[in-house]
Amino acid sequence: MYMYYMLDYIILGGGLSGIISVSIIRNKYPEKKIGWIDNTNFTGGDLAKYPEVPANTPYPVLVKFIEKIYKNLNFPPRSSETCDLIENGIFKLKCLSKELEIISNHIRSIKNITMITDYIDSIEYKNNIWTLYSELNNYSSTRVVMCNGSIHRKLNYNIPEIPIEIALNPEKLRKLDIKNKKIAVFGNSHSGILILKNLYELSCKQITNIIKSNIKRPYMNDNNIEIYQESGIRGVGLEWANKFMVPENKTNIKVVKYDDFDHTSFDYVIYSIGLVRRNLSIKINEKPLIIDPAFNETGLLAKNLYGLGVAYPEYYILNGDTEYKVGIGGFFQRATKIL
């Protein structure tokens, strides 16, 4: 049955930034009608695809995050009940995705918040109204918050691919017959290092890491400013890299620059080279969206259209590098500031 909804706010995406946005808008404007749309039935967003990945976030930060969410939603305080801590107080992403699912289920009981499971095809702005279209329904609002996430970037080499969600899961990786295969791993950021770690611990004998720059390890400069705070590797990945890769490579992993990569000699490839926004048609008065140049300061992609999360992160320039704020704390600060 075709349905039409008219709301004060629409939040697209049921993951981390979506939950943050719901909690902040609900806290600031409790009488506003909020439509919250997710295509995976609010089961933790993309984090659920990477259950075994150690989070960069320290456990105390997770605890504070949960406390803030529950406070914003006017629920009794609650700490994490699902996280199994691993070494040095680090938890896995399956813990965080489960926490998000628990919070989402609590939100279902809140008046004026309508939770909708649907897949949005396109978004259009006309006559001061934003309308989101799915195959069967239309959802209209004066304000929309885009929290719909990103997908992993890939290259076009004609080599069989091991999907990153498998490469980041040791249990799934063990089921593949790859110990004696030639494997190319693109990227040496946080995910790339964890993939190298998984392959090395699986005793894969022919691993090549294709890189554009050296591993970024956070450090304090002479002005007591942390360099690579956002883009550098952390947690389990940093510990492993410090032990096996830098300053001396003590593994069987061959490291080559991208320009020297010969793709003809590999059996498998794994891409860990960043994210791209999900392809979603956004039009303003029938013309494609051009993101507002002031977006980084205002959080507005266009009039009353906000962008949050990994698809639309805040950024700054430090030592000539672009640092994107993509952690729990960064998302919360950004949303609090702009919504």
Side-chain angles (χ1 to χ4, degrees):
M1 180 185 296
Y2 177 85
M3 299 290 291
Y4 174 80
Y5 297 81
M6 184 64 197
L7 302 146
D8 296 309
Y9 279 88
I10 291 175
I11 299 163
L12 182 60
L16 179 62
S17 56
I19 280 180
I20 290 172
S21 299
V22 168
S23 76
I24 289 173
I25 293 171
R26 168 66 182 180
N27 179 255
K28 288 185 175 181
Y29 313 107
E31 299 305 316
K32 297 292 186 181
K33 293 181 180 179
I34 300 170
W36 189 18
I37 304 174
D38 183 54
N39 66 346
T40 61
N41 198 27
F42 305 92
T43 53
D46 290 331
L47 293 178
K49 298 178 182 178
Y50 310 100
E52 297 303 316
V53 175
N56 278 342
T57 304
Y59 183 72
V61 175
L62 173 67
V63 172
K64 290 182 179 179
F65 163 73
I66 295 171
E67 290 173 351
K68 286 181 180 179
I69 293 290
Y70 276 73
K71 183 178 180 181
N72 278 350
L73 296 173
N74 200 29
F75 284 136
R78 187 183 70 85
S79 295
S80 170
E81 298 176 359
T82 68
C83 282
D84 296 321
L85 296 185
I86 56 178
E87 190 175 355
N88 295 331
I90 300 297
F91 57 91
K92 294 181 179 180
L93 291 184
K94 63 183 177 182
C95 163
L96 179 54
S97 65
K98 185 61 179 177
E99 292 290 350
L100 298 184
E101 187 174 0
I102 291 170
I103 293 169
S104 298
N105 287 333
H106 282 296
I107 291 174
R108 294 181 191 278
S109 66
I110 299 178
K111 180 183 177 182
N112 288 340
I113 298 179
T114 303
M115 295 172 64
I116 304 160
T117 300
D118 204 349
Y119 184 88
I120 299 302
D121 298 311
S122 60
I123 302 176
E124 185 177 37
Y125 182 76
K126 283 184 178 180
N127 300 321
N128 295 318
I129 295 293
W130 287 99
T131 302
L132 286 66
Y133 299 95
S134 72
E135 185 175 350
L136 295 177
N137 304 313
N138 291 356
Y139 310 91
S140 292
S141 174
T142 52
R143 293 176 176 83
V144 174
V145 187
M146 302 289 292
C147 304
N148 56 317
S150 298
I151 59 174
H152 284 275
R153 189 188 305 274
K154 299 182 180 182
L155 300 175
N156 294 320
Y157 292 105
N158 187 25
I159 308 172
E161 180 190 355
I162 299 175
I164 191 170
E165 55 266 30
I166 292 178
L168 285 168
N169 190 321
E171 293 182 9
K172 291 184 177 181
L173 205 56
R174 284 190 204 100
K175 296 178 181 179
L176 304 180
D177 180 20
I178 58 174
K179 286 188 178 181
N180 296 307
K181 302 296 185 180
K182 295 180 180 179
I183 305 170
V185 179
F186 279 81
N188 61 355
S189 61
H190 179 61
S191 294
I193 293 297
L194 292 177
I195 290 167
L196 295 175
K197 175 179 180 291
N198 289 345
L199 293 171
Y200 180 74
E201 292 178 350
L202 190 62
S203 299
C204 293
K205 299 173 182 177
Q206 301 181 77
I207 311 166
T208 300
N209 185 208
I210 298 92
I211 65 171
K212 285 193 172 182
S213 60
N214 293 329
I215 295 172
K216 294 180 177 179
R217 295 184 296 166
Y219 68 94
M220 304 301 292
N221 67 9
D222 294 339
N223 296 318
N224 204 35
I225 297 174
E226 188 172 16
I227 308 300
Y228 303 143
Q229 179 181 1
E230 307 290 343
S231 60
I233 60 174
R234 291 184 175 276
V236 173
L238 178 58
E239 291 177 10
W240 185 84
N242 283 339
K243 184 176 181 180
F244 291 102
M245 296 293 291
V246 290
E248 177 187 358
N249 185 355
K250 301 175 183 178
T251 71
N252 61 321
I253 299 170
K254 183 180 180 181
V255 180
V256 302
K257 293 288 187 179
Y258 176 78
D259 293 338
D260 299 325
F261 172 61
D262 178 8
H263 72 278
T264 60
S265 59
F266 288 91
D267 299 306
Y268 291 101
V269 66
I270 303 170
Y271 298 115
S272 179
I273 52 175
L275 302 168
V276 291
R277 296 183 187 117
R278 285 193 166 88
N279 187 21
L280 180 64
S281 173
I282 305 177
K283 292 186 177 182
I284 300 177
N285 297 323
E286 301 184 355
K287 295 182 180 180
L289 168 71
I290 298 175
I291 294 177
D292 191 317
F295 163 74
N296 200 48
E297 290 72 37
T298 66
L300 285 166
L301 302 169
K303 183 178 179 181
N304 292 332
L305 180 69
Y306 300 87
L308 281 169
V310 292
Y312 303 101
E314 184 181 9
Y315 65 88
Y316 59 94
I317 306 298
L318 186 61
N319 275 23
D321 290 307
T322 303
E323 296 277 287
Y324 294 95
K325 296 185 178 181
V326 293
I328 288 178
F331 289 160
F332 219 112
Q333 291 173 6
R334 176 72 160 169
T336 302
K337 175 183 174 182
I338 68 176
L339 294 178

